[in-house]
Amino acid sequence: MDAGNDPDPPTHHGPLRFQVPEPSARPGDEPDFSYLDVPPAGDTRRPEVSVDPHQIRDLADAMIRVLDDDGNAVGPWAPGAELSADAMRRALRAMVITRAYDDRMFQSQRQGKTSFYMRSTGEEAIAVGHALELGPRDMFFPTYRQQGWLIAREWPLVDMMCQIFSNERDRLHGRQMPVMYSAKEAGFFTISGNLGTQFIQAVGWAMASAIAGDTCLAAGVVGEGTTAEADFHHALTFAATYQAPVILNVVNNQWAISSFQGIAGGASSTFAARAIGHGIPALRIDGNDYLAVVAGIRWAAERARRNHGPTLIEWVTYRAAAHSSSDDPSKYRPQDEWKAWPLGDPVERLATHLGQIGEWSPVRQNELDEEAKAIVRAAAKEAEGYGTLLDGHVADRRSLFEDVFKEMPAHLRRQRDELERLT
Amino acid sequence: MNVAIRSALDVMLGRDGQVVVFGEDVGYFGGVFRCTEGLQSKYGETRVFDTPIAEGGIIGVAVGMGAYGLRPVAEIQFADYVYPGLDQLISEAARLRYRSGADFTAPLTVRMPAGGGIHGGQTHSQSPEALFTHVCGLKTVLPSTPYDAKGLLIASIEDDDPVVFLEPKRLYNGPFDGHPERPIVPWTDHPLGDVPEDYYSIPLGVAAVRRPGSDVTVLAYGTMVYVAEAAAAETGVDAEIIDLRTLLPLDTDTIVQSVEKTGRCVIVHEATRTSGFGAELAATVQELCFFHLESPIQRVTGWDTPYPHAQEWDYFPGPGRVGAALRSVMED
């Protein structure tokens, strides 16, 4: 029988089913991270930085971990993460100040001193690691959750806070929402609110560095949700085509506002695996393990500097706080999910390691926590003295017309004068 | 005009080591309209190269390169293809200086062939200039002669802000007055086809009076400048034809001066009418010259339909339609 001619052919299949992935736990459920395969620390091999990407496809499904549950540095990636105790304490300090800064600025938002805030709690190691491991002339293309870079690079907290408060000292003149910093001198690219645009720009910057015969590289960051954007795929295509000296970071913190990582296709394969079709080496790394963070960045940076091209790194971490001050995670995920996160807290894990090698103690941690709060409190006091959204000490409205172009064209001068005449 | 554009790129690649030229098929092959022919062999593939087919990627890497300190010149193969790149152009390139307090800038030029008259149908004929003039932070340039194309392209590349440079593709090989039945005139036989080999630039934001006249001011750009000239000749209306050359920033002084003199204004563009750049021009003339106007401003534009393939000459605003508008404003 020719089924093609039968107006109502018999079918052996049932109706098609539209499939929408669901997270493992919702509010009221027990947190369930059974979907995450966490290998023991030290279990994943470390290839040479010059390796042919096709030889390490398995690493896209593995997880590079250096610190074990007792805080020992183990396995093949440990030597690549060698740091002096001072260097580790510096990183720990940057993470702790970042956390204190986030808590303080979140409170400021609740007090009405600013309109908006975004915390990076739980994923501080990734930005801090980049800041301390990349060079002074390398360029970082961050998302809005990498304030740890600026703090690790000792960019003045007061300056950051003036941006948060949009006050008269805000170097961005109140043009950008809070947390959208720009700090070229600190190697920190201006943050966009449009997700993923910076990823392909990082590739362009890296291409330019290679075109110019320079020695510096770029590092771009997106969240796992943003891997769905075209710019992510453009970035991989261009980076692979021109073997651009760039580190392509995907911070998989499990949640894009209320959408779990499966909504970006994370249930079908890892985000690291997105690199494989492009012939880009993929590393998947425990993002809450500071030593693994350092080891991964060093590997990718060394590869790029030796003209072996880009690396894509998926950082497995967890967004412990709300997406932003406008978000309420209790509406879509278990309240205590963060406590059940199998990769722990990056601050505690680095502190434990330092304690394990006799370079840290609970007393010193307590002192550091208190010192960080005091530093942040003092900076906030000073920044608030320059104004906040509450007291209206914001940039002069005339500045609204500046920097649209290098030189102000006649039509903008006319509009500025028109605003000026309004009382 | 494509020879003039190639010459501008050649001059700038030679003068400024930060200039890089790239886009789909622009490298070895030299571009589908030959605007980059020979440049890769002259300057090497580090300076002139092919890109993947991804307009968002092309403009995205241009933004990154500009932030690094290069002066990228990106080609979008047809203006009709630019839409996947609009986020990088509108949200990123145009606002980089503003949002970063001038910490980072985007000194890039995005070239793209625009307009119809080549039987390109709806995906090779569009005139999207009003999309760009609507975006704060972009400059929009659209030349009509080879001499201007070279001088304006050099000025665009030297500009420290992002410039969208639209090239009327029907003018690549010669002027076009809207009479498709007449033989094609190459630029080599045209007085405006003569382009000096060396460096020169034409400032952005300055219009040119192509034909002085006293009856009516015609505001036009690109191919429509020649159509307006033909319409004036065919109707005998003494039109003053202004070639805007740069749409943003707009040379309102030249426009006002002319309309105050003639008291009448006809606006001509190939792009669709509703919310087209003609609407901005009409509003500007009304705001600045209302008491000098002796008749309503008229617009002659493409219809508010997609650009057709087989009915191209019914769509294209030719000298017949422009001439009718000239006669009509004279009767009012």
Side-chain angles (χ1 to χ4, degrees):
Chain A
M1 190 184 80
D2 186 358
N5 293 331
D6 186 341
D8 191 14
T11 175
H12 301 294
H13 306 291
L16 293 168
R17 183 166 48 88
F18 178 58
Q19 301 174 59
V20 180
E22 273 296 322
S24 54
R26 286 297 195 185
D29 298 339
E30 281 299 307
D32 176 7
F33 289 110
S34 58
Y35 68 84
L36 190 72
D37 188 14
V38 182
D43 217 28
T44 304
R45 69 196 172 99
R46 183 186 186 280
E48 289 299 311
V49 297
S50 56
V51 70
D52 176 348
H54 299 97
Q55 305 303 316
I56 59 164
R57 289 179 169 189
D58 55 307
L59 294 188
D61 289 320
M63 196 189 297
I64 295 163
R65 308 182 71 221
V66 172
L67 291 173
D68 68 15
D69 292 346
D70 300 323
N72 299 303
V74 297
W77 289 85
E82 237 169 70
L83 286 169
S84 68
D86 278 344
M88 281 189 273
R89 280 190 290 260
R90 187 179 169 201
L92 184 68
R93 182 182 162 86
M95 288 196 280
V96 169
I97 295 175
T98 301
R99 195 165 287 185
Y101 175 88
D102 278 351
D103 288 343
R104 177 88 194 192
M105 291 299 98
F106 184 74
Q107 282 169 25
S108 296
Q109 192 279 335
R110 288 298 188 246
Q111 293 162 353
K113 292 171 185 166
T114 182
S115 59
F116 182 77
Y117 194 71
M118 302 179 94
R119 287 176 285 178
S120 61
T121 315
E123 52 191 272
E124 297 93 340
I126 300 156
V128 168
H130 276 85
L132 298 180
E133 292 302 323
L134 294 181
R137 291 181 57 251
D138 295 333
M139 187 61 74
F140 191 52
F141 289 75
T143 73
Y144 40 62
R145 227 180 288 282
Q146 272 82 47
Q147 51 268 49
W149 170 288
L150 289 172
I151 290 169
R153 290 259 169 132
E154 295 174 0
W155 191 258
L157 293 182
V158 171
D159 187 85
M160 293 171 68
M161 289 173 175
C162 288
Q163 199 281 330
I164 300 295
F165 296 139
S166 297
N167 64 25
E168 286 164 354
R169 294 227 182 168
D170 171 13
R171 292 180 311 113
L172 309 183
H173 313 292
R175 293 169 187 159
Q176 281 269 58
M177 275 177 79
V179 314
M180 307 287 179
Y181 311 103
S182 178
K184 192 177 186 178
E185 282 171 68
F188 191 90
F189 190 71
T190 161
I191 296 175
S192 177
N194 288 28
L195 299 187
T197 51
Q198 71 280 2
F199 220 46
I200 180 69
Q201 292 163 359
V203 174
W205 198 96
M207 286 166 65
S209 180
I211 287 168
D214 204 339
T215 56
C216 37
L217 53 85
V221 186
V222 289
E224 86 286 351
T226 300
T227 60
E229 290 280 5
D231 280 334
F232 173 79
H233 300 274
H234 293 330
L236 267 62
T237 303
F238 280 69
T241 300
Y242 304 108
Q243 289 295 296
V246 62
I247 307 174
L248 299 165
N249 296 291
V250 177
V251 176
N252 179 0
N253 65 13
Q254 314 303 313
W255 290 96
I257 307 188
S258 72
S259 301
F260 88 114
Q261 45 95 26
I263 294 293
S268 314
S269 78
T270 68
F271 294 98
R274 305 290 191 267
I276 290 175
H278 292 274
I280 294 175
L283 304 180
R284 190 160 173 269
I285 302 181
D286 177 348
N288 289 12
D289 171 345
Y290 188 76
L291 296 192
V293 169
V294 168
I297 294 168
R298 285 183 182 174
W299 191 91
E302 177 72 7
R303 185 173 170 89
R305 290 193 210 285
R306 287 203 208 163
N307 279 308
H308 295 306
T311 300
L312 185 131
I313 305 178
E314 176 185 348
W315 302 100
V316 183
T317 184
Y318 185 84
R319 195 196 78 210
H323 165 72
S324 75
S325 54
S326 309
D327 176 39
D328 176 8
S330 72
K331 295 270 197 295
Y332 52 79
R333 68 183 188 187
Q335 197 112 41
D336 51 354
E337 205 180 47
W338 158 234
K339 295 201 181 78
W341 175 241
L343 301 180
D345 176 342
V347 172
E348 282 174 20
R349 288 177 68 191
L350 183 56
T352 304
H353 173 64
L354 272 166
Q356 191 66 263
I357 59 171
E359 294 286 351
W360 201 241
S361 67
V363 174
R364 291 181 75 179
Q365 181 65 40
N366 197 40
E367 283 167 6
L368 175 60
D369 290 342
E370 291 308 314
E371 187 201 352
K373 282 180 204 157
I375 289 169
V376 169
R377 198 181 309 124
K381 210 165 177 193
E382 183 184 342
E384 286 175 23
Y386 303 131
T388 67
L389 269 190
L390 265 186
D391 61 29
H393 281 153
V394 299
D396 184 342
R397 63 184 184 174
R398 282 176 68 85
S399 71
L400 182 54
F401 298 92
E402 285 157 18
D403 297 328
V404 180
F405 295 101
K406 187 178 184 185
E407 279 148 32
M408 197 182 298
H411 70 287
L412 285 180
R413 286 199 302 273
R414 283 195 295 271
Q415 291 173 24
R416 184 189 60 187
D417 295 345
E418 195 179 327
L419 175 66
E420 193 76 340
R421 288 194 296 273
L422 301 172
T423 47
Chain B
M1 186 183 281
N2 55 356
V3 178
I5 285 160
R6 191 187 312 147
S7 174
L9 296 171
D10 192 354
V11 164
M12 289 311 293
L13 282 161
R15 274 172 74 93
D16 184 348
Q18 306 305 310
V19 172
V20 284
V21 172
F22 52 91
E24 296 158 16
D25 302 301
V26 311
Y28 185 86
F29 177 59
V32 294
F33 288 106
R34 323 303 305 141
C35 291
T36 55
E37 189 177 17
L39 296 178
Q40 187 181 75
S41 61
K42 186 167 176 182
Y43 295 99
E45 56 189 15
T46 300
R47 308 280 309 281
V48 182
F49 54 90
D50 291 324
T51 62
I53 305 169
E55 291 74 17
I58 291 168
I59 300 175
V61 294
V63 173
M65 289 175 180
Y68 175 88
L70 297 188
R71 228 166 246 286
V73 185
E75 176 178 305
I76 301 298
Q77 200 161 71
F78 285 86
D80 315 62
Y81 302 168
V82 75
Y83 308 122
L86 287 186
D87 190 36
Q88 285 290 340
L89 201 55
I90 295 172
S91 312
E92 300 295 315
R95 300 206 294 254
L96 210 59
R97 176 188 295 281
Y98 193 75
R99 80 170 197 228
S100 70
D103 215 9
F104 294 92
T105 60
L108 51 105
T109 303
V110 182
R111 298 177 38 243
M112 60 190 90
I118 64 153
H119 286 298
Q122 60 177 308
T123 53
H124 302 79
S125 307
Q126 295 168 41
S127 297
E129 64 271 13
L131 295 181
F132 306 119
T133 58
H134 193 56
V135 175
C136 41
L138 291 182
K139 295 182 178 178
T140 302
V141 178
L142 207 159
S144 74
T145 74
Y147 183 87
D148 282 1
K150 178 171 175 179
L152 289 167
L153 181 53
I154 287 175
S156 300
I157 296 169
E158 289 182 328
D159 199 281
D160 288 330
D161 288 309
V163 179
V164 174
F165 193 87
L166 295 142
E167 300 166 5
K169 69 177 83 68
R170 177 66 208 225
L171 303 183
Y172 274 139
N173 296 316
F176 178 64
D177 63 6
H179 285 292
E181 70 285 0
R182 292 183 185 164
I184 290 168
V185 185
W187 283 117
T188 43
D189 298 339
H190 196 281
L192 294 171
D194 199 21
V195 175
E197 268 183 39
D198 296 339
Y199 170 92
Y200 65 90
S201 76
I202 296 173
L204 305 185
V206 181
V209 178
R210 289 288 168 219
R211 180 192 189 282
S214 56
D215 289 345
V216 49
T217 299
V218 176
L219 303 180
Y221 47 90
T223 312
M224 288 301 123
V225 170
Y226 301 95
V227 173
E229 282 177 345
E234 290 161 20
T235 56
V237 173
D238 188 19
E240 176 146 294
I241 299 171
I242 296 178
D243 176 359
L244 296 175
R245 304 201 289 192
T246 303
L247 307 188
L248 199 134
L250 182 66
D251 181 0
T252 47
D253 290 349
T254 300
I255 295 170
V256 168
Q257 219 170 25
S258 177
V259 176
E260 286 186 352
K261 180 177 75 176
T262 63
R264 291 179 167 86
C265 182
V266 170
I267 295 161
V268 192
H269 60 60
E270 275 184 79
T272 49
R273 174 178 305 226
T274 303
S275 304
F277 192 65
E280 179 61 34
L281 291 171
T284 302
V285 170
Q286 184 274 134
E287 283 164 10
L288 301 176
C289 311
F290 183 75
F291 295 105
H292 292 84
L293 287 173
E294 292 168 32
S295 72
I297 301 163
Q298 291 215 21
R299 282 184 285 169
V300 183
T301 69
W303 309 119
D304 283 342
T305 70
Y307 204 111
H309 180 242
Q311 305 84 355
E312 177 147 53
W313 306 116
D314 292 316
Y315 180 93
F316 188 90
R321 284 180 60 203
V322 177
L326 293 179
R327 274 197 285 258
S328 163
V329 290
M330 293 312 295
E331 285 162 10
D332 284 331

